[in-house]
Amino acid sequence: MRSRLFIGLMCVCTAILASDNETREEVWIDGDSFYKSVRHKKKSTIYFGEWSSYAAQFLEDKNYYVALQLDDRFDPLPKDDVILPSLATIAAISDPSLRKDYYHFLESFGRTKGVNHMVLPDTSAYTDFEKEVILELNQHSPFYFIDKSILSYSLPDSRKEFETEAKVQPTIWVASQDANTKKLSRWGEKMDKDELDAFYTRIKQSKQTAFFPVYDLPGSLAEKMFAESVLAFDPDSVFPLQVDRITYLGLDLQLRNRLKQYVEVLDYRVPGVPCIVDKRNTNTKLYDHDILIQKGVGNKDHSALVLPEFTIEEPDVLIAQMLFGAHQIVGRSNHMHINPIKNPAYLGFSDLEREGLSKEKLIWIDSLATLAINRFATPGMQVAVVKNGQMVLEKSYGFFTYDSLIPVTRNTVYDIASITKVAATLPAIALLIDQNKIQLDDSLSQHLEAFNESNKGQITIRQLLAHNGGLRSYVPFWSMMMDGDRLDAFYYKTSEDEARDIRTYGLEPHPSMLDSLKSFIVRSELIKNPENYNYSDLGFMILHLLVEEVSGLSFDAFVTQNFYDPMGMKRTTFLPIKNGISPKEIAPTEYDNRYRNYQVWGEVHDRNALVFGGVAGHAGLFSTARDLAKLMYMFLNDGYYGGRQYLSPETLSHLNARYFENNRRGLGWDKKDGEKDAAASLASDRSFGHTGFTGTMVWADPDQDLIYVFLSNRIYPDANNWRLGQLNIRTQMHDVIYKSLKNVN
């Protein structure tokens, strides 16, 4: 019965609209009322104040011309279960190319839905940015996004009266194709022919784009628009957050879990702890200095992350990244206190699949970790993978020791051994180069007077960094201070210390020990062929002395003040116990039965570094996988991190290059040579990294925007445990990561 009625009504409507050529005055009528009482004659246009099933029928009939009036929601089909960005959202996007992408989509979306034209709203009631969008739409496709004056040169009193009574703006007009085609053709004649031809060409080409014939906003475009339209309403200047704990009051469990990747998350208020109130799903009472997550700039007394009204998959990833500075916030608005946060570049968190890695293939990392622990290659480990500046994998395995008493966590601190060379000495040297205090081809004698008359006086900084200065690989300087199985009496501080055989003094050895060590380094012999590559700790011991001499600061103070503290590397330090890290948070290394005669736990393992007082250029640094990932991200990101340029791209480029024949090393960095590679076989030639004696490794690949960190204490309880290397665990894990990259396979 309903279908017969509709066919009959359509016939009547067709007859009425066909007489439009005889009508001189255009009349607008209420579409729903029209169907209740079909007694009108010579009516040219049917108007639907709200969306209705009748309007939907016209969209499927090519005999009718359909024009939709866009309002501030800017959704052409408000009741089709597809939520599109509003005018305010589009206006908040600062990137004009992204807005243009959306205009392409919106036109194709409308055309595939049967909408002949979209009628732009009046600009008078909107903000400057919204007016800009309306104008851009008209300029983008002037024959599709049109001003309503093109449809009607005058607004009859009957329509004005209806709008006043209904208190709604028109949503849809339906008219016969013939009548309105003539009217639009007359308007089109006013356009330049070349411009009109170009327009038709664009329309024709648009059918071949990725947006056609999509019936929903493509996920990639939606995410870009979401990300670029978020606003930071920040009167208290709190963004981006850089804290250790927050309180989250809200019902979004996915977001809560995501925030836990960054910091400790409480569900109750604590004085001094920032409180995030999620206004999308809670009516929690607000207190001063609360930070809001909301849609629309509502409460102007609080800093807020203002989200667009439409949703995307996994919004929690972007929201957390924006809160903690791992994603820029560049939405624009006429409101005061909207502060764009451009490219803060803090390390963030994302999901494997989202960043282009296969979760199924990366399961092999778990298997390799289990194998290493079961084979007693190491009691535990941390593994981190960063892709596109986002941590996609951060896992801890095993325990501090084989008795399985203290589990490894993401906060466990490891002795990173020779990674100290690239995590402390290398950035220190790079900074001094940027400060024009040293140059790569400066000789040692230019900066260190003690080397003026030595066999090392003319060795350059470049040669030391590349292990090409002719220095011996390793000299047990500590043993040169021994008399049998005890220290030489000269190196005890007091007779009581000598009687009790106290040697390290809590990592504050007798000053004469350090003097002797420096003298031993200066007087040490060179290798037989000094021009050859020979990996050496001694070179980085010397660079440590050079940093202190040139900077005027102690080595650990220089790197801590210039890198670790400002980068938020709170668990990276020399002398961890002295600097407030409990032994319960530090993985032990070996039982030293050659010098200390006790279990090394919280002290540097390397004995030469111990004589340096635990602070040395070749070893002595303690850290976590997360902290090292931050540092490697800074290196990979051309020296930029957290809104600050730490090192110049030019200097970093010089460091990541080879300069000497038959030497695979860059300056400080280990590189690939196809023979003795620590890195995966698929790692690019531009990749760089380093390993450490205690069972550690860092590696970064600019070509893949990829970082890998592996930390372990494989030398517990015996430094002669070589199983980690024999099983090739570190490199195998690196191989798995590359094989999981979707753009590689």
Side-chain angles (χ1 to χ4, degrees):
M1 181 65 183
R2 289 182 179 178
S3 61
R4 290 182 181 178
L5 175 60
F6 176 75
I7 293 172
L9 292 174
M10 289 296 289
C11 292
V12 173
C13 183
T14 303
I16 292 172
L17 293 176
S19 63
D20 181 66
N21 289 332
E22 303 173 8
T23 304
R24 295 184 179 181
E25 182 182 25
E26 187 159 4
V27 180
W28 303 76
I29 64 173
D30 174 10
D32 293 314
S33 299
F34 177 82
Y35 285 105
K36 293 176 182 177
S37 178
V38 188
R39 293 179 294 182
H40 301 277
K41 301 289 184 181
K42 299 180 180 180
K43 310 300 182 187
S44 65
T45 306
I46 301 174
Y47 156 64
F48 293 88
E50 296 181 355
W51 194 257
S52 73
S53 59
Y54 301 121
Q57 297 288 349
F58 281 106
L59 289 173
E60 300 176 3
D61 194 327
K62 294 183 179 180
N63 293 319
Y64 291 91
Y65 164 90
V66 178
L68 293 177
Q69 171 78 57
L70 299 175
D71 59 10
D72 57 356
R73 283 287 311 141
F74 231 56
D75 188 342
L77 307 180
K79 294 189 178 180
D80 66 347
D81 297 326
V82 177
I83 300 176
L84 296 181
S86 67
L87 173 59
T89 296
I90 303 167
I93 298 171
S94 58
D95 183 358
S97 63
L98 182 56
R99 295 199 301 269
K100 186 176 181 180
D101 287 343
Y102 184 68
Y103 302 155
H104 277 298
F105 161 77
L106 193 59
E107 181 175 350
S108 295
F109 177 84
R111 288 182 181 276
T112 56
K113 286 287 191 177
V115 179
N116 300 83
H117 292 276
M118 293 186 187
V119 184
L120 297 170
D122 295 327
T123 60
S124 57
Y126 296 108
T127 66
D128 291 340
F129 291 136
E130 290 168 338
K131 290 177 181 178
E132 179 183 344
V133 168
I134 293 171
L135 179 61
E136 281 181 344
L137 267 169
N138 183 248
Q139 294 174 339
H140 168 76
S141 187
F143 206 60
Y144 189 76
F145 298 106
I146 58 179
D147 189 278
K148 65 183 178 183
S149 63
I150 300 302
L151 292 179
S152 175
Y153 299 113
S154 63
L155 297 178
D157 292 340
S158 59
R159 179 181 171 206
K160 288 182 179 179
E161 292 171 359
F162 175 80
E163 291 178 358
T164 301
E165 182 179 349
K167 296 182 180 180
V168 295
Q169 291 296 317
T171 301
I172 179 171
W173 294 277
V174 179
S176 66
Q177 281 279 22
D178 291 341
N180 286 279
T181 298
K182 290 179 181 179
K183 185 176 292 184
L184 289 166
S185 294
R186 289 196 300 272
W187 171 72
E189 290 171 0
K190 299 177 183 179
M191 297 178 64
D192 179 82
K193 183 178 185 301
D194 292 339
E195 184 180 1
L196 195 59
D197 290 344
F199 165 73
Y200 283 121
T201 300
R202 287 198 303 273
I203 294 299
K204 185 176 181 180
Q205 291 175 343
S206 71
K207 296 181 179 180
Q208 301 171 5
T209 68
F211 304 113
F212 190 91
V214 179
Y215 285 86
D216 199 354
L217 185 60
S220 59
L221 178 60
E223 185 165 306
K224 288 180 182 178
M225 294 186 67
F226 185 98
E228 297 296 312
S229 60
V230 174
L231 305 177
F233 183 74
D234 200 15
D236 294 333
S237 299
V238 300
F239 296 125
L241 298 174
Q242 292 299 303
V243 294
D244 295 322
R245 291 196 301 172
I246 62 167
T247 294
Y248 173 74
L249 302 180
L251 303 178
D252 190 335
L253 294 181
Q254 284 185 305
L255 178 57
R256 179 186 294 275
N257 291 332
R258 187 68 63 180
L259 295 175
K260 288 180 179 179
Q261 292 183 294
Y262 292 83
V263 293
E264 180 185 357
V265 179
L266 308 177
D267 56 6
Y268 51 89
R269 295 180 184 274
V270 174
V273 175
C275 181
I276 297 176
V277 179
D278 197 337
K279 295 293 288 182
R280 297 173 301 165
N281 48 39
T282 181
N283 291 319
T284 300
K285 180 181 177 181
L286 299 180
Y287 290 82
D288 291 343
H289 306 297
D290 280 350
I291 302 165
L292 311 184
I293 298 175
Q294 61 187 26
K295 294 185 177 180
V297 184
N299 193 315
K300 297 185 180 180
D301 296 326
H302 297 268
S303 292
L305 200 64
V306 183
L307 309 181
E309 78 295 334
F310 75 103
T311 59
I312 57 171
E313 291 186 9
E314 299 179 333
D316 55 289
V317 176
L318 284 173
I319 293 172
Q321 288 174 357
M322 290 178 173
L323 285 172
F324 289 95
H327 196 294
Q328 61 183 5
I329 312 174
V330 292
R332 58 182 189 168
S333 172
N334 290 325
H335 288 286
M336 292 180 63
H337 303 302
I338 298 295
N339 295 333
I341 302 173
K342 296 184 178 179
N343 191 25
Y346 283 101
L347 187 67
F349 290 84
S350 186
D351 296 325
L352 292 165
E353 298 286 344
R354 184 185 180 88
E355 302 302 330
L357 292 91
S358 168
K359 185 176 181 179
E360 290 76 15
K361 292 183 179 179
L362 274 177
I363 290 176
W364 283 103
I365 286 183
D366 295 342
S367 300
L368 288 167
T370 302
L371 174 66
I373 294 170
N374 290 344
R375 295 283 186 89
F376 297 97
T378 180
M381 69 195 76
Q382 290 175 346
V383 180
V385 178
V386 177
K387 184 74 168 73
N388 305 326
Q390 306 299 325
M391 187 90 79
V392 293
L393 186 146
E394 183 185 29
K395 284 193 172 184
S396 302
Y397 303 90
F399 296 84
F400 281 25
T401 60
Y402 291 108
D403 56 17
S404 303
L405 293 178
I406 306 177
V408 177
T409 71
R410 74 184 189 191
N411 291 320
T412 299
V413 174
Y414 281 91
D415 179 341
I416 63 174
S418 283
I419 291 179
T420 302
K421 295 180 174 74
V422 295
T425 308
L426 189 62
I429 292 294
L431 181 57
L432 292 176
I433 292 172
D434 283 342
Q435 294 174 343
N436 294 317
K437 294 181 178 179
I438 62 173
Q439 296 181 13
L440 283 172
D441 292 316
D442 287 352
S443 65
L444 291 181
S445 60
Q446 288 179 250
H447 299 286
L448 294 171
E449 184 178 350
F451 287 90
N452 284 347
E453 304 300 325
S454 79
N455 57 1
K456 306 172 187 65
Q458 297 309 306
I459 297 175
T460 66
I461 295 171
R462 187 191 304 272
Q463 288 175 309
L464 292 183
L465 288 171
H467 302 276
N468 222 97
L471 302 181
R472 296 171 66 184
S473 294
Y474 177 78
V475 178
F477 294 120
W478 59 272
S479 67
M480 299 166 68
M481 304 176 194
M482 301 286 289
D483 182 8
D485 61 352
R486 293 172 58 86
L487 276 180
D488 189 296
F490 177 73
Y491 296 112
Y492 290 109
K493 284 186 175 181
T494 66
S495 56
E496 290 80 4
D497 290 341
E498 182 178 2
R500 296 170 60 191
D501 195 19
I502 298 176
R503 306 178 183 185
T504 63
Y505 308 101
L507 292 180
E508 293 182 5
H510 193 292
S512 60
M513 295 183 75
L514 185 57
D515 290 339
S516 295
L517 177 60
K518 292 177 180 178
S519 177
F520 293 157
I521 293 172
V522 172
R523 294 186 288 111
S524 63
E525 296 181 358
L526 301 179
I527 62 175
K528 185 175 182 180
N529 297 308
E531 70 280 0
N532 289 353
Y533 160 70
N534 192 52
Y535 181 82
S536 171
D537 282 351
L538 275 66
F540 281 78
M541 295 180 192
I542 295 171
L543 289 172
H544 160 202
L545 301 176
L546 185 147
V547 169
E548 293 190 328
E549 178 67 26
V550 174
S551 70
L553 295 173
S554 66
F555 185 72
D556 53 337
F558 185 74
V559 292
T560 299
Q561 292 175 19
N562 287 290
F563 296 99
Y564 308 150
D565 281 352
M567 290 182 67
M569 297 171 61
K570 298 181 180 180
R571 302 186 73 76
T572 298
T573 183
F574 293 93
L575 309 174
I577 295 176
K578 180 180 178 181
N579 288 298
I581 298 177
S582 167
K584 295 180 180 179
E585 301 174 294
I586 306 170
T589 51
E590 74 168 327
Y591 185 93
D592 184 0
N593 56 13
R594 301 181 65 190
Y595 182 71
R596 283 166 279 201
N597 294 321
Y598 57 75
Q599 172 66 57
V600 178
W601 198 323
E603 291 181 6
V604 59
H605 163 261
D606 184 274
R607 298 180 186 92
N608 281 336
L610 184 73
V611 176
F612 262 112
V615 179
H618 70 291
L621 194 63
F622 287 72
S623 189
T624 65
R626 178 179 293 200
D627 272 7
L628 289 176
K630 292 179 182 179
L631 188 67
M632 294 301 288
Y633 180 40
M634 183 273 289
F635 284 126
L636 195 61
N637 200 34
D638 290 333
Y640 185 83
Y641 183 83
R644 174 175 169 178
Q645 192 73 46
Y646 286 87
L647 299 170
S648 71
E650 294 77 17
T651 296
L652 292 178
S653 178
H654 290 316
L655 300 180
N656 189 26
R658 299 181 180 91
Y659 294 93
F660 300 98
E661 188 177 358
N662 299 321
N663 183 344
R664 75 170 187 272
R665 300 269 173 174
L667 301 186
W669 296 115
D670 195 2
K671 304 281 290 179
K672 290 183 59 177
D673 66 357
E675 295 180 6
K676 297 181 179 180
D677 293 338
S681 59
L682 292 173
S684 74
D685 289 338
R686 293 205 302 146
S687 68
F688 54 91
H690 212 282
T691 57
F693 182 78
T694 51
T696 58
M697 177 176 173
V698 293
W699 209 274
D701 191 339
D703 288 2
Q704 292 291 343
D705 200 355
L706 182 69
I707 295 166
Y708 166 56
V709 182
F710 179 99
L711 301 184
S712 78
N713 57 333
R714 65 101 191 160
I715 60 174
Y716 173 85
D718 184 357
N720 292 316
N721 174 13
W722 305 106
R723 295 187 187 93
L724 190 74
Q726 292 165 353
L727 294 171
N728 203 22
I729 296 296
R730 290 174 291 187
T731 304
Q732 283 199 73
M733 282 190 180
H734 206 198
D735 281 328
V736 168
I737 294 166
Y738 273 91
K739 291 175 182 178
S740 74
L741 294 174
K742 295 180 180 178
N743 66 337
V744 172
N745 298 283

